[in-house]
Amino acid sequence: MAELFEILGKEEIARGVFRMEVYAPEIARKHKPGQFVILRVHEKGERIPLTVVDADEGRGSITLVFQVVGKTTAMLSDMEVGERLADLAGPLGNPAHIDRYGTVVCVAGGVGVADVYPVAKALKKAGNTVISIVGARTKELLSLVEEMRAVSDRLEITTDDGSFGMKGFVTDMLRKMIEEEKLKIDLVFAVGPTVMMKAVADLTKKHNIKTIVSLNAIMLDGTGLCGVCRVIVGGKTKFACVDGPEFDAHQVDFDDLMKRQRMFVEQERIAYERYLKQKKGVMA
Ligand code: FAD
Ligand code: NAD
């Protein structure tokens, strides 16, 4: 019998992108697409939010997919099967709003696919026509492509460098669908880097297509108490953790969000470099 928060599986599915299966039976039972957990690798570690990508109620496990971008995600990727996370809180955030919209275009930028996949799967199950666009900087960074194909009526892939699929950004493919193919789209759902979600919102606003994004604001407690994840939506202050993480893209102040995301860049850089140095010392 596994221990609570024990790592049951770990696999590098793309360059620097890991899929991890963690024993968390209550979360596996309760979670809905669009929700996330906040975890700590060890007791003095920082809390980071990660989307629940999938769950297996039978095994009592949840699946996380994360990209190594700094100290905590690097430490997480260095943990092995059989080790335990210090804690894991969830499911947090509002579930995605799943309805029968008609034709939905799901746009995944980079590791944003971790959030798009469970939502696309639920949209497909609800009877929508799901058209997906999955994009990454280069072929080696593409992840969950086969999973996305399985839940999509049509799947398009883009890479910035043209190493796989169409050369360009996900927004180039979306523009092609809207402006050249004249596709009738009832909803766009987009998750990825903030700059990409802003570009998607600018494009769909012009064409009056309802668009939902999931915001990756810096979060600490995930319960609406600390206020770190403040975002401006429709001119009002909202907390991404309890009011979101999904919002109407046409109402989001993306420039403010980008500014807030860069708040701790220097501290994050120092912490990551220290961790890598320490790791190198241990391995030498
Ligand atoms: P750091 O060096 O600390 O930070 C790198 C960058 O990550 C920062 O510049 C900042 O923009 C962001 N970040 C840092 N700390 C936090 C924090 N506490 N909360 C949010 N962002 C932070 N990433 C995935 O790879 N897979 C996912 O499924 C996923 N789901 C997310 C769901 C939500 C609701 C949110 C808000 C974020 C999600 N992220 C996901 C982003 C992930 O939380 C950050 O990449 C992670 O916190 C980085 O931590 P770090 O210490 O490795 O890097
Ligand atoms: P990235 O920088 O590699 O970009 C991925 C793709 O986004 C690019 O290939 C391109 O198609 C598109 N893109 C990038 N810049 C663009 C622009 N200016 N205009 C139009 N399209 C653009 O992405 P990454 O490093 O994989 O980062 C993924 C982001 O997703 C991270 O910020 C992460 O925090 C976030 N994320 C969020 C969730 C969530 O649930 N909210 C889940 C997982 C990841």
Side-chain angles (χ1 to χ4, degrees):
M1 169 89 173
E3 280 188 75
L4 203 55
F5 312 144
E6 183 177 324
I7 298 169
L8 303 181
K10 182 184 109 172
E11 184 191 357
E12 188 168 2
I13 57 170
R15 198 202 318 141
V17 180
F18 291 81
R19 174 167 28 214
M20 197 172 253
E21 186 188 2
V22 181
Y23 186 67
E26 279 292 295
I27 303 174
R29 200 165 52 77
K30 284 192 194 151
H31 99 97
K32 297 217 163 55
Q35 290 188 299
F36 59 93
V37 292
I38 289 196
L39 63 84
R40 282 191 310 170
V41 168
H42 61 84
E43 272 167 18
K44 287 187 178 152
E46 73 167 345
R47 300 159 60 84
I48 63 158
L50 293 176
T51 302
V52 180
V53 177
D54 222 334
D56 184 332
E57 272 194 63
R59 284 171 61 81
S61 67
I62 58 168
T63 298
L64 308 172
V65 171
F66 62 92
Q67 185 175 33
V68 175
V69 292
K71 182 181 172 184
T72 304
T73 46
M75 286 175 88
L76 187 59
S77 75
D78 287 334
M79 290 185 82
E80 298 301 341
V81 171
E83 288 187 289
R84 285 184 63 225
L85 302 174
D87 47 54
L88 189 118
L92 298 168
N94 295 300
H97 192 82
I98 305 300
D99 214 330
R100 194 162 179 171
Y101 298 99
T103 299
V104 184
V105 178
C106 293
V107 189
V111 80
V113 71
D115 190 59
V116 172
Y117 168 62
V119 174
K121 187 171 158 188
L123 286 167
K124 179 72 190 144
K125 203 170 159 200
N128 294 283
T129 298
V130 174
I131 298 178
S132 301
I133 307 173
V134 173
R137 272 171 272 152
T138 189
K139 188 180 166 189
E140 287 73 36
L141 290 173
L142 284 166
S143 48
L144 303 181
V145 170
E146 289 319 309
E147 287 82 350
M148 284 298 292
R149 197 186 304 283
V151 299
S152 306
D153 294 276
R154 170 180 169 191
L155 173 75
E156 297 289 351
I157 295 171
T158 65
T159 49
D160 302 6
D161 63 1
S163 52
F164 199 87
M166 189 185 98
K167 185 177 191 305
F169 286 164
V170 283
T171 42
D172 295 320
M173 178 57 78
L174 182 62
R175 185 175 303 105
K176 179 175 166 287
M177 287 178 178
I178 298 171
E179 295 177 0
E180 290 175 29
E181 298 179 25
K182 310 274 183 219
L183 200 71
K184 189 193 158 293
I185 301 170
D186 299 294
L187 179 79
V188 168
F189 177 72
V191 188
T194 307
V195 63
M196 167 227 139
M197 294 190 281
K198 180 178 195 276
V200 168
D202 288 344
L203 174 65
T204 57
K205 198 171 182 175
K206 239 177 35 188
H207 296 277
N208 204 19
I209 303 169
K210 185 178 161 70
T211 301
I212 302 291
V213 286
S214 182
L215 301 182
N216 49 341
I218 294 182
M219 276 179 198
L220 283 184
D221 71 304
T223 61
L225 289 174
C226 74
V228 170
C229 66
R230 284 194 301 280
V231 288
I232 301 172
V233 184
K236 295 199 178 85
T237 297
K238 300 274 180 189
F239 292 162
C241 66
V242 288
D243 298 319
E246 285 187 5
F247 292 99
D248 176 345
H250 299 159
Q251 302 293 322
V252 173
D253 184 337
F254 288 103
D255 295 326
D256 176 74
L257 176 58
M258 283 190 264
K259 219 163 56 197
R260 289 186 62 81
Q261 280 170 329
R262 286 193 291 265
M263 259 185 331
F264 304 110
V265 166
E266 189 51 20
Q267 290 92 328
E268 287 161 355
R269 188 188 59 77
I270 293 168
Y272 192 20
E273 279 176 11
R274 265 197 206 137
Y275 176 68
L276 292 178
K277 231 175 175 173
Q278 187 194 337
K279 195 172 131 180
K280 224 167 128 191
V282 170
M283 285 167 77

